[in-house]
Amino acid sequence: MDDRSMRERMLAGDPYLAVDPELAELMLRAADLMEAYNATSARDPGERRRLLAELLGAIGEGAEIRPPLRVDYGSNLHIGARSFANFGLVALDVAPITIGDDVQIGTNVQLLTPTHPIDPELRRAKWEAARPITVGDNVWLGSGAIVLAGVTIGENTVVGAGAVVTRDLPPNVVAVGNPARVIRAIEPGPA
């Protein structure tokens, strides 16, 4: 018998029920903070920063996220220094989402950690799970890119607009398409 809480199961990447009261309360807390953040004025960067610090697991120095931002919990989203997310980031952080330093995220990018069972009875019973996403330093995710559960993107990689990343991408490449595929290597330029 498994006597872990649904939250413990979720954080371990095991099947859990999102309708659990503890998880539901954590999602409501995130929704309240998201609503406040998304309503802030661009002229009030201090309040925006304060709300992000309260909502997210970590927000690096000089990092910026333009509203609207959508998360499940917020606390499982970690964003590195000097990273930038343009309008409309969706980061479903059921499992950890780790974004490195100096990452550029285009409009309407989706980072999706949740997974759902193939078995229709388990799906009907509302079981789900999640796998983490890791985005390395200095990555550029083009507008509309979708990164699926369990994916790691290596440093300096560029993901083209609209790409659907279903598998890990190595460092220093350009990847495009659905599913995303590597089309070329990136050679380091002059310093």
Side-chain angles (χ1 to χ4, degrees):
M1 169 152 169
D2 190 341
D3 50 352
R4 295 177 295 165
S5 71
M6 288 297 156
R7 183 168 187 262
E8 290 168 330
R9 293 175 61 89
M10 179 187 84
L11 293 174
D14 295 330
Y16 72 96
L17 294 168
V19 295
D20 174 73
E22 178 186 15
L23 292 176
E25 180 56 37
L26 290 171
M27 288 183 85
L28 286 172
R29 176 190 177 277
D32 289 342
L33 289 167
M34 264 190 312
E35 183 177 347
Y37 177 74
N38 290 334
T40 58
S41 169
R43 295 180 187 276
D44 195 353
E47 179 63 2
R48 281 189 172 178
R49 185 72 182 187
R50 185 193 71 73
L51 287 165
L52 282 179
E54 189 174 344
L55 173 62
L56 303 183
I59 181 82
E61 183 178 341
E64 179 184 353
I65 301 174
R66 287 187 174 167
L69 167 67
R70 301 283 182 233
V71 296
D72 275 329
Y73 298 98
S75 59
N76 295 322
L77 176 57
H78 300 82
I79 300 176
R82 300 169 305 281
S83 290
F84 173 79
N86 215 326
F87 305 109
L89 174 62
V90 174
L92 300 186
D93 63 326
V94 174
I97 298 174
T98 304
I99 297 171
D101 296 337
D102 302 299
V103 172
Q104 298 291 311
I105 299 174
T107 56
N108 299 313
V109 166
Q110 299 177 54
L111 306 173
L112 310 174
T113 69
T115 63
H116 299 278
I118 301 285
D119 181 299
E121 293 305 315
L122 292 174
R123 221 173 33 253
R124 188 175 291 113
K126 306 300 184 211
W127 286 97
E128 58 186 75
R131 294 182 311 170
I133 291 173
T134 302
V135 178
D137 293 342
N138 202 36
V139 165
W140 174 19
L141 300 176
S143 292
I146 299 172
V147 180
L148 298 183
V151 167
T152 295
I153 299 174
E155 67 182 15
N156 303 317
T157 286
V158 174
V159 175
V164 179
V165 185
T166 61
R167 301 187 300 230
D168 291 353
L169 293 174
N172 303 304
V173 298
V174 175
V176 300
N178 179 4
R181 66 188 186 350
V182 174
I183 59 168
R184 72 179 182 90
I186 299 172
E187 299 300 323

